[in-house]
Amino acid sequence: MSQTPFRYHRATSVADASSLLAASDARPLGGGTDLLVSLEEGLEHAGLLVDLRSIPEGDTITALPGGALRIGAATRIDTLANDARVNAHFPALAQACAAVGTPALRNMGTLGGNLCQRPRCWYLRRAVPCHKNGGDSCPARDGENQYLAILDGGPCFIVHPSDPAVALSALEAVIEVAGPAGSRRVHIADFYVLPSERLGRETVLADDEFIVAIELPAHSAGGRQLYRKLMQRDAWDFALVSIAAVRRTDGDVRLFMGGVAPRPYRVNSSVEEDIASGGLDEDSMSALAQRAMYDAEPLSKNSYKVALAESLLRDAMRELGA
Ligand SMILES: Cc1cc2nc3c(=O)[nH]c(=O)nc-3n(C[C@H](O)[C@H](O)[C@H](O)COP(=O)(O)OP(=O)(O)OC[C@H]3O[C@@H](n4cnc5c(N)ncnc54)[C@H](O)[C@@H]3O)c2cc1C
């Protein structure tokens, strides 16, 4: 464990944060529940922490015309779990936020920090040389890989730990990003990257960019929505496997899974279409769940995740009224 001294600055505006984060040793700070531990573990390095919680209205939830919702990145996870508008119109997100860690973590953690939290692979967290920290192999591949990816892995097999990210993917959220070069909007489907595309980070954010807000589109409001999460213990735990399922008011179905891949994993769209068509009995639900996991390539100790994923898929189909 190493402890490096760092400076701390409370950003006064998005522009202030952008100019401070232009420094190569600066990192954005939310609730600090992951970043401060990551600094201690040597997973992150920073000479300057830029606190985004002090940006005026950075933690505001705003209803937009037409039924969309804009959530400031500094909004606490607990606020989202309990917000009346989120519960009424985007319950998959409220349920995913309620499933995060502990009350203390939900009260400290911000949505922006949650989406950008670093992976929990034991080897990475303990600075064992691996692909993500500059090494040339993956010790988990033939080691302790029970919590790692069964889909889309390689050369590194992390799973993204965020529950809200899975729900926001099913809700087709748009991420508002700012940085010294200006601002841009990134669809959440393009926000997370696979290790085969980028090893050092899990998102498309440049080192000097940060999330300002997350927008939930009106077309994802309402319908039937759910978030379900399977854990090793009943509380204070990351997902072994999770699912966000949305049947929109236009009838389209979106299914995303957590705990199975390095980023929220979208179930094959042909499976979504068959569920949207309806009229499924138990046998056809089982067949669809198996088809959804057809590409799974479990590692030596995590084939149990395939069975968990198929079970969650069947539950989701029943709850969506397939
Ligand atoms: C014991 C434990 C259990 C947990 N269980 C769960 C769980 O079940 N589900 C779950 O989803 N999470 C879980 N977490 C993660 C927890 O929710 C996160 O630590 C928290 O959400 C991170 O939020 P934060 O605001 O504290 O982020 P910080 O710690 O401040 O930041 C995390 C990372 O995001 C970056 N960052 C912060 N804000 C922004 C921004 N606006 N834009 C870009 N980058 C930013 C930081 O630089 C850092 O790299 C758990 C954590 C612990 C320690």
Side-chain angles (χ1 to χ4, degrees):
M1 300 277 178
S2 64
Q3 273 185 307
T4 318
F6 52 78
R7 289 164 289 127
Y8 169 83
H9 186 96
R10 289 167 66 81
T12 54
S13 65
V14 170
D16 183 39
S18 295
S19 79
L20 287 161
L21 285 166
S24 61
D25 67 343
R27 295 298 302 150
L29 175 71
T33 58
D34 183 43
L35 180 56
L36 297 180
V37 180
S38 300
L39 288 170
E40 180 97 10
E41 292 174 337
L43 177 59
E44 295 273 7
H45 304 277
L48 171 65
L49 298 190
V50 180
D51 196 336
L52 304 178
R53 293 169 297 179
S54 43
I55 296 176
E57 301 187 8
D59 60 353
T60 305
I61 303 175
T62 313
L64 302 177
L69 215 54
R70 183 179 183 275
I71 301 166
T75 304
R76 309 282 170 154
I77 300 294
D78 188 67
T79 304
L80 289 164
N82 292 302
D83 184 86
R85 290 162 298 179
V86 177
N87 274 281
H89 304 297
F90 302 98
L93 178 61
Q95 291 167 23
C97 289
V100 168
T102 61
L105 283 164
R106 293 194 290 276
N107 275 287
M108 277 302 287
T110 63
L111 184 58
N114 181 280
L115 297 181
C116 297
Q117 62 177 296
R118 305 304 310 281
R120 314 301 299 190
C121 174
W122 287 331
Y123 297 97
L124 176 65
R125 289 277 171 168
R126 283 168 176 71
V128 177
C130 72
H131 287 302
K132 273 186 93 63
N133 61 20
D136 58 7
S137 65
C138 170
R141 191 178 186 127
D142 299 311
E144 299 305 319
N145 53 41
Q146 46 269 55
Y147 300 124
L148 298 184
I150 57 172
L151 286 151
D152 287 347
C156 154
F157 294 87
I158 56 137
V159 290
H160 200 276
S162 166
D163 289 304
V166 182
L168 290 172
S169 297
L171 295 168
E172 303 192 323
V174 175
I175 315 274
E176 286 180 39
V177 174
S183 59
R184 60 184 176 126
R185 290 164 63 84
V186 183
H187 193 287
I188 193 159
D190 302 318
F191 185 71
Y192 290 105
V193 291
L194 292 176
S196 54
E197 298 161 342
R198 187 182 192 192
L199 269 170
R201 293 267 163 204
E202 295 76 46
T203 73
V204 294
L205 291 182
D207 280 347
D208 56 8
E209 287 185 312
F210 60 100
I211 300 176
V212 174
I214 295 91
E215 194 175 308
L216 293 167
H219 70 250
S220 292
R224 285 195 190 189
Q225 304 187 12
L226 61 95
Y227 184 77
R228 299 287 178 267
K229 172 178 179 183
L230 296 176
M231 296 174 279
Q232 192 156 21
R233 330 174 265 199
D234 252 1
W236 202 16
D237 216 348
F238 294 92
L240 294 173
V241 181
S242 69
I243 191 165
V246 175
R247 183 196 283 278
R248 299 192 322 216
T249 51
D250 66 6
D252 276 3
V253 167
R254 291 288 179 276
L255 288 179
F256 275 81
M257 306 207 74
V260 295
R263 62 183 172 195
Y265 178 79
R266 183 173 178 183
V267 168
N268 189 308
S269 58
S270 75
V271 173
E272 293 174 335
E273 284 161 17
D274 284 355
I275 296 170
S277 304
L280 300 175
D281 59 18
E282 285 293 321
D283 285 346
S284 36
M285 285 190 218
S286 294
L288 273 183
Q290 283 174 11
R291 201 165 98 210
M293 286 295 113
Y294 180 78
D295 290 329
E297 291 182 318
L299 300 167
S300 56
K301 295 182 178 171
N302 66 6
S303 56
Y304 73 95
K305 285 196 176 193
V306 178
L308 293 188
E310 290 179 4
S311 164
L312 272 184
L313 280 157
R314 288 192 301 271
D315 288 349
M317 287 182 229
R318 287 186 205 104
E319 288 196 53
L320 287 186

